[in-house]
Amino acid sequence: MNAKILFVALLITLMGCKADDFQKLEPRNWQLVWSDEFNGAAGELPDAAKWTYDLGTGQDGWGNQELQSYTNSPNNVSMDGDGNLVLTAIRSGNSFTSARIKTQGLFEQAYGRFEARLKTPYGPGLWPAFWLLGSNIDAVSWPQCGEIDVMELRGQEPNAIAGSIHGPGYSGGNAISKKYALPNNRFDTEFHVFAIEWDENKIDFFVDDFLYQRIERGDVNGEWVYDHPFFMILNVAVGGNYVGFPTALTPFPQKMTIDYVRVYQAVN
Amino acid sequence: MSANTFIRFTQYFLLLALLFPALSCERDEAELQPATYPTDPEVFIDGFSAGLNYAAFGGSVPTAFDVDNEVTYNNSLASMKFEVPDVNDSRGAYAGGAFFTEVGRDLSGYNVLTFWAKATQAANIDVVGFGNDLGASTYQVSITGLAVNTNWKKYYIPLPDPAKLTNERGMFYYSEGPENERGYTFWIDEVKFEKLGTVAHPQHAILFGQDVVETSFVGVSRTISGVSSSFNLPDGSNQTVGISPSYFEFTSSNPSIATVSANGLVSVVGGPGTAVITATIGGNQAAGSLTIESIGNFQRAPVPTRDPSKVISIFSDAYTNVPVNYYNGYWQPWQTTVSNDFSVQGDNVLKYEIFNFVGIEFSSPTVNATGMTHFHMNAFFPDPIAPGRELRVIIVNFGPDGAFGGGDDTRHSTTFTAPTLVSQQWLSINIPFANMPNLGSRSNLAQIILEGGDGSVLYVDNVYFYNNQ
């Protein structure tokens, strides 16, 4: 019995305290420059001074054969009264509504730390994301404008997210991307913090302050298009090329619950 | 985390790293209590786990199960092979059995039973699960119609409330009959209990998740049916499992009106008044509820007093009934009526719920009522009578051929409306055959059809033909 206890204690030590849990990163000071804590009353739409909407079905399902139609109805996008913004994907028959909000024209920034604390939806065919697009998209179009996906998740893998960048010559299926999976947990049961830290030379991707991907200027097989301001997008897509289609076993409605979005600049 | 300034101090991590082993990695030996029962998670990996037994179910092919060393998951040493028989196999009609232990196991540290399965053809295994100990099987969980095909796939059967499984003997069970009358073979391997953080979002239900309202009386009891649990699996899809009612903690909002037992038996004990029965599993509220609106003491239908020699009884506790095929034919496709007959202190009552129409048939043999003069029944509407509400009583004679159809059937319909129809009182309906001109003969009576329901509830008692001479 004593030997067993010793073994268990040893095991816990090895599992819980492995060196990988702590990373040595260069120190950085961040100054908060923009945030939304989503502390509105239940049913309220997000702050119109901070967020605007993409509505409808876009071109070819927003370029990805997505199924949902985006609305600005409180059924699809509203505060929950508990300090969160909730984006809800709803099935009615064979059609879906959902929401996609963005800071385009309201807040745009180059470099810094962009983070969101959120709980994802789940189920085959669900595709939630927190991402950034270059503000010059209307002038130079995509992917020349650049895209930074802080996180996106396939609902059939609720334990894994991916962080990616899309630019000229490396977009869509050829994006520079890395997956980060929880060994025995899921992103839809608790809140997690997803962040990038971005400067002139690189973009670092974090989950719960764990650095799982660093993309440097030299890693890009094409033009580095990340030296101009970007705006943020939060959305829940249904179906599409990236994720596949929902099945009869996909539970609806599905919610992305966002505690906050914060943006920092580096200070010296 | 500060909302104003986010500063990463490398030295904090060093400090934390030093603190962490001290805080989390030490365990006080006194906290480690020996388990009452073994916690072995393995059921069948490459052979029977410690203490595991197998017994085939009655009527199944006794040799359907065997250990296989040829077809195994991931080239492991052995798997479980199940041979499903063809229809009319002399050895048994299906493959089925239970794997169980003599000494219970403590499974409270796990949340899902997993296994890998494949088959020689695409099929739906009738039932697989655990918690069948060939005895009380108090905490049974099962998946019905498990879809398997010719590829190995991992399957998950979630534990609705692990805390209850501290002494479980039923490790695994299955039952499968022929597919389209033909047998086939399936394999199951790597059967074990696991603790998976990737199984999430439990949702439990009683009464199929519906909020059911029911008028009732003191002395009536019924069980809570339609219980299930659903979980979201690691691939994001939902899996529903059938579970024993014993997993639920049932609550009555008003035990002086209705009580509920641990296994979901609801007994109406008082009234008038209302009690709401709800349920939880492991603190999670189940969808669905049963609202009992007790009228109070049961109003018996008037006890018949006619001479039994002058009565042909279809349904009554006062007389011996003639052979009756059914009191509810569930005639498709238009019938909504379901039967939920009950008994109060020895008085049996027909209860028709979601009543639109219903047929009672007594055609084997048909009834010769030429010696009778009247039809009688008692009816009780527990809910208010809606404007325009009707009750139509149709007596059907099958004619000389004694069978349905054939061009010789006749019937007469008698309509009752308010103010004859009242709620919460027993009505005595008496219809003389003399007032049923469309019936013609009454020598081959075979059906009584009740129509005119609006989806509410109807109680019926003392259905008989009599002679008042």
Side-chain angles (χ1 to χ4, degrees):
Chain A
M1 195 62 197
N2 279 335
K4 250 185 195 165
I5 291 169
L6 199 67
F7 178 66
V8 167
L10 193 69
L11 208 65
I12 288 167
T13 312
L14 289 174
M15 292 193 308
C17 305
K18 61 184 181 194
D20 276 356
D21 286 0
F22 305 98
Q23 296 176 305
K24 190 173 171 166
L25 298 169
E26 58 272 39
R28 186 81 60 88
N29 285 347
W30 293 115
Q31 175 76 47
L32 186 74
V33 292
W34 186 98
S35 74
D36 198 335
E37 304 291 320
F38 302 121
N39 287 329
E44 260 180 28
L45 292 172
D47 184 349
K50 292 177 175 169
W51 300 98
T52 176
Y53 303 89
D54 278 322
L55 298 174
T57 54
Q59 181 95 36
D60 296 328
W62 302 99
N64 299 303
Q65 315 299 326
E66 297 164 27
L67 300 176
Q68 78 291 329
S69 175
Y70 288 126
T71 83
N72 56 1
S73 153
N75 293 330
N76 296 111
V77 48
S78 59
M79 308 289 173
D80 67 359
D82 292 324
N84 307 300
L85 176 70
V86 182
L87 305 186
T88 305
I90 298 169
R91 184 208 303 254
S92 57
N94 282 328
S95 64
F96 303 86
T97 57
S98 187
R100 169 160 152 167
I101 60 169
K102 56 183 184 177
T103 63
Q104 187 173 22
L106 298 171
F107 176 80
E108 294 162 351
Q109 175 177 306
Y111 312 138
R113 177 181 166 94
F114 295 72
E115 69 173 13
R117 182 173 186 267
L118 61 86
K119 199 156 63 170
T120 71
Y122 60 94
L126 268 295
W127 179 12
F130 170 46
W131 51 300
L132 283 67
L133 272 177
S135 327
N136 56 347
I137 184 166
D138 290 336
V140 304
S141 85
W142 185 89
Q144 183 64 40
C145 64
E147 172 180 328
I148 304 171
D149 301 331
V150 184
M151 70 80 67
E152 59 187 330
L153 175 141
R154 289 181 173 95
Q156 54 267 49
E157 291 180 272
N159 67 318
I161 60 103
S164 314
I165 59 171
H166 302 251
Y170 53 99
S171 64
N174 296 319
I176 299 171
S177 181
K178 188 170 178 186
K179 202 155 134 178
Y180 177 82
L182 298 170
N184 193 22
N185 210 332
R186 302 165 49 134
F187 287 108
D188 55 342
T189 51
E190 286 163 9
F191 285 95
H192 294 271
V193 178
F194 304 94
I196 56 157
E197 292 181 3
W198 165 27
D199 62 28
E200 310 83 65
N201 302 312
K202 64 181 182 298
I203 304 171
D204 285 345
F205 290 77
F206 297 86
V207 173
D208 299 325
D209 289 329
F210 181 86
L211 172 65
Y212 70 94
Q213 174 175 229
R214 167 169 290 180
I215 302 174
E216 293 178 295
R217 218 173 242 274
D219 298 335
V220 172
N221 190 18
E223 190 185 346
W224 179 262
V225 285
Y226 309 96
D227 292 316
H228 56 276
F230 278 53
F231 61 89
M232 293 180 287
I233 304 175
L234 284 158
N235 72 306
V236 178
V238 180
N241 298 336
Y242 179 80
V243 70
F245 296 103
T247 72
L249 297 177
T250 304
F252 278 92
Q254 280 297 324
K255 296 172 186 302
M256 176 150 81
T257 307
I258 306 142
D259 180 18
Y260 60 71
V261 178
R262 295 173 186 164
V263 182
Y264 306 81
Q265 272 179 347
V267 291
N268 295 319
Chain B
M1 186 185 301
S2 157
N4 293 320
T5 319
F6 181 84
I7 302 171
R8 178 174 290 120
F9 292 109
T10 308
Q11 60 267 35
Y12 272 26
F13 285 101
L14 291 174
L15 184 60
L16 266 178
L18 287 172
L19 268 172
F20 193 76
L23 287 173
S24 302
C25 298
E26 258 185 20
R27 288 195 70 169
D28 186 355
E29 288 190 14
E31 286 174 7
L32 294 173
Q33 300 288 338
T36 313
Y37 292 97
T39 57
D40 182 3
E42 297 186 351
V43 180
F44 184 104
I45 303 299
D46 284 321
F48 276 41
S49 58
L52 192 70
N53 301 295
Y54 174 73
F57 291 151
S60 71
V61 176
T63 56
F65 160 68
D66 202 357
V67 174
D68 191 355
N69 302 116
E70 301 285 320
V71 178
T72 64
Y73 171 69
N74 206 16
N75 297 319
S76 61
L77 289 176
S79 72
M80 301 196 290
K81 181 173 78 172
F82 302 92
E83 289 180 0
V84 182
D86 284 341
V87 162
N88 299 325
D89 189 309
S90 60
R91 299 170 301 163
Y94 66 105
F99 297 84
F100 60 98
T101 54
E102 291 299 334
V103 176
R105 291 191 192 170
D106 183 350
L107 303 174
S108 58
Y110 310 109
N111 69 341
V112 60
L113 175 69
T114 66
F115 57 89
W116 290 79
K118 71 172 268 187
T120 51
Q121 63 171 65
N124 290 83
I125 302 175
D126 289 342
V127 61
V128 293
F130 66 89
N132 187 326
D133 58 12
L134 302 173
S137 300
T138 309
Y139 295 120
Q140 204 161 308
V141 180
S142 63
I143 295 176
T144 51
L146 185 79
V148 291
N149 62 32
T150 56
N151 303 310
W152 285 107
K153 184 184 168 190
K154 190 172 183 179
Y155 294 87
Y156 303 82
I157 306 181
L159 278 51
D161 184 7
K164 287 207 157 55
L165 301 179
T166 53
N167 178 13
E168 180 55 54
R169 296 175 49 238
M171 294 294 113
F172 185 76
Y173 77 98
Y174 73 100
S175 175
E176 166 66 333
E179 296 268 319
N180 299 319
E181 307 201 335
R182 300 310 304 270
Y184 71 103
T185 299
F186 64 90
W187 291 267
I188 289 181
D189 204 354
E190 311 296 311
V191 187
K192 60 179 186 285
F193 290 91
E194 296 189 70
K195 172 86 172 173
L196 294 182
T198 48
V199 173
H201 304 296
Q203 291 174 295
H204 312 296
I206 60 173
L207 300 164
F208 301 103
Q210 303 295 305
D211 292 314
V212 175
V213 180
E214 197 164 279
T215 304
S216 199
F217 304 102
V218 173
V220 173
S221 54
R222 63 160 289 173
T223 50
I224 298 282
S225 57
V227 299
S228 68
S229 279
S230 136
F231 291 80
N232 198 257
L233 300 184
D235 72 350
S237 58
N238 267 8
Q239 173 70 60
T240 299
V241 292
I243 64 174
S244 304
S246 313
Y247 277 105
F248 289 93
E249 309 286 343
F250 292 101
T251 311
S252 168
S253 68
N254 190 348
S256 68
I257 299 297
T259 61
V260 59
S261 74
N263 57 5
L265 181 69
V266 177
S267 302
V268 183
V269 296
T274 300
V276 182
I277 311 295
T278 54
T280 59
I281 289 184
N284 285 327
Q285 188 73 43
S289 65
L290 175 64
T291 300
I292 297 284
E293 292 184 341
S294 172
I295 291 172
N297 288 322
F298 179 62
Q299 261 184 67
R300 286 185 82 114
V303 177
T305 55
R306 295 193 177 273
D307 179 351
S309 70
K310 294 184 172 181
V311 168
I312 298 172
S313 176
I314 306 299
F315 181 86
S316 174
D317 294 303
Y319 306 111
T320 302
N321 300 330
V322 298
V324 172
N325 305 62
Y326 51 75
Y327 293 104
N328 181 346
Y330 289 96
W331 290 342
Q332 292 308 315
W334 308 115
Q335 183 181 326
T336 60
T337 313
V338 294
S339 283
N340 197 358
D341 303 340
F342 62 92
S343 167
V344 185
Q345 287 132 25
D347 185 14
N348 293 290
V349 180
L350 298 174
K351 182 182 182 191
Y352 297 119
E353 298 175 348
I354 326 172
F355 168 62
N356 60 344
F357 62 85
V358 70
I360 300 171
E361 183 164 310
F362 35 95
S363 58
S364 322
T366 57
V367 166
N368 183 345
T370 48
M372 303 290 129
T373 59
H374 287 71
F375 167 76
H376 174 275
M377 66 176 261
N378 292 119
F380 186 101
F381 297 93
D383 305 311
I385 304 292
R389 177 72 193 271
E390 291 186 347
L391 176 65
R392 295 190 292 279
V393 179
I394 301 165
I395 310 293
V396 180
N397 191 65
F398 272 3
D401 69 358
F404 177 78
D408 59 352
D409 296 3
T410 54
R411 57 173 61 194
H412 187 93
S413 176
T414 310
T415 301
F416 299 88
T417 56
T420 306
L421 301 186
V422 291
S423 92
Q424 300 207 355
Q425 282 180 39
W426 281 104
L427 307 178
S428 284
I429 289 173
N430 293 280
I431 313 172
F433 284 114
N435 293 354
M436 300 187 204
N438 298 332
L439 186 61
S441 163
R442 57 180 184 270
S443 55
N444 282 295
L445 296 186
Q447 287 179 343
I448 297 161
I449 303 168
L450 305 176
E451 290 183 356
D454 59 0
S456 57
V457 175
L458 170 66
Y459 305 152
V460 171
D461 202 353
N462 301 319
V463 183
Y464 56 84
F465 305 105
Y466 66 94
N467 185 328
N468 75 336
Q469 303 298 306

